Amino acid sequence: MIECMDSENLHKRLKKISGQVAAVDRMIDEDVPCEEIMVQINAIKSAIHKVGQIVLEGHIHHCVREGIEHGDADATIEEFTEVIRQFSKI
């Protein structure tokens, strides 16, 4: 799995998201207006969605390609369809 994604990029993004979540937690204790908290929550949602896109792209370029070229194409497509179904829930 590690060969199909830019793990350094993903780790940086996830570390930033972790910091954003911690900041929202602090904002709640500091009685920051709800509107400002919602803006930060939306930023977190967008950032985590981007992480999912990066993982999905890596999956397509490596795992799906490999499965179609050297494995069972039908099973690979079925598995990929499920991945898309799960990702679309985000």
Side-chain angles (χ1 to χ4, degrees), residues 46-69:
S46 294
I48 201 72
H49 188 76
K50 183 61 180 177
V51 167
Q53 287 176 327
I54 292 168
V55 171
L56 184 60
E57 288 171 13
H59 180 66
I60 292 167
H61 290 292
H62 183 268
C63 302
V64 172
R65 176 180 283 152
E66 181 76 17
I68 290 172
E69 291 176 353

Side-chain angles (χ1 to χ4, degrees), residues 9-82:
N9 180 25
L10 289 171
H11 286 302
K12 285 180 187 177
R13 287 176 179 274
L14 291 168
K15 187 172 183 171
K16 181 177 179 183
I17 292 167
S18 178
Q20 288 174 301
V21 170
V24 168
D25 191 44
R26 285 190 305 275
M27 291 170 80
I28 293 167
D29 290 337
E30 294 168 0
D31 199 30
V32 172
C34 299
E35 296 86 356
E36 291 180 35
I37 294 171
M38 291 304 296
V39 166
Q40 293 306 312
I41 290 170
N42 194 43
I44 293 166
K45 283 173 44 180
S46 294
I48 201 72
H49 188 76
K50 183 61 180 177
V51 167
Q53 287 176 327
I54 292 168
V55 171
L56 184 60
E57 288 171 13
H59 180 66
I60 292 167
H61 290 292
H62 183 268
C63 302
V64 172
R65 176 180 283 152
E66 181 76 17
I68 290 172
E69 291 176 353
H70 304 290
D72 182 346
D74 290 335
T76 299
I77 291 168
E78 182 74 26
E79 290 168 4
F80 181 63
T81 301
E82 181 58 27

